Amino acid sequence: MELIGIDEFQKIDLRVGLVKSAEKVPGSEKLIRLIVDLGELGERQIIAGLGKWYQPEFFQGKYVIIVANLKPKKMMGYESQGMLLATDTDPPVIATVEKTVKPGARLF
């Protein structure tokens, strides 16, 4: 594992997002399209490769952790505007917050 300095870590913008909607990406067995409310940052479309383990309904209303300043990436015709954090286990565990917080709250 490569160690990074605090300056590098501070470049990562982690936010709490409220999942407003989720649906499978047509033609994909693993991609799920999430619309996530990030408060003052607005809503973001996040494409997550978690459909092998989770149905879209699982995400509805969850407060998840998002990397908000990741460069957008196209996946199967959809632009992902961030990344949902999850473990690399089988099945993955989705990073959430234990208590309800205002969408867009920053983690540090």
Side-chain angles (χ1 to χ4, degrees):
M1 173 176 32
E2 180 182 346
L3 299 178
I4 63 171
I6 190 71
D7 292 339
E8 291 172 283
F9 176 75
Q10 289 176 331
K11 292 178 184 177
I12 302 168
D13 189 3
L14 299 175
R15 301 284 180 136
V16 174
L18 172 59
V19 179
K20 304 296 271 185
S21 67
E23 64 185 18
K24 289 190 175 227
V25 170
S28 174
E29 291 183 14
K30 69 178 199 171
L31 296 180
I32 296 177
R33 177 180 173 261
L34 306 167
I35 301 299
V36 180
D37 177 5
L38 291 176
E40 63 190 33
L41 297 178
E43 289 187 348
R44 298 276 181 92
Q45 175 174 263
I46 308 289
I47 308 301
L50 297 165
K52 175 180 172 186
W53 300 277
Y54 296 98
Q55 294 299 312
E57 300 79 34
F58 170 83
F59 296 95
Q60 186 69 39
K62 292 239 187 297
Y63 286 84
V64 296
I65 309 299
I66 300 293
V67 179
N69 63 336
L70 196 62
K71 290 180 183 178
K73 180 178 179 175
K74 282 256 186 175
M75 290 187 261
M76 293 195 67
Y78 292 89
E79 183 177 79
S80 187
Q81 302 164 323
M83 178 184 283
L84 174 82
L85 295 184
T87 64
D88 66 352
T89 56
D90 188 2
V93 176
I94 310 305
T96 61
V97 292
E98 187 174 310
K99 297 192 179 208
T100 302
V101 294
K102 181 178 171 187
R106 190 153 190 228
L107 286 89
F108 58 93

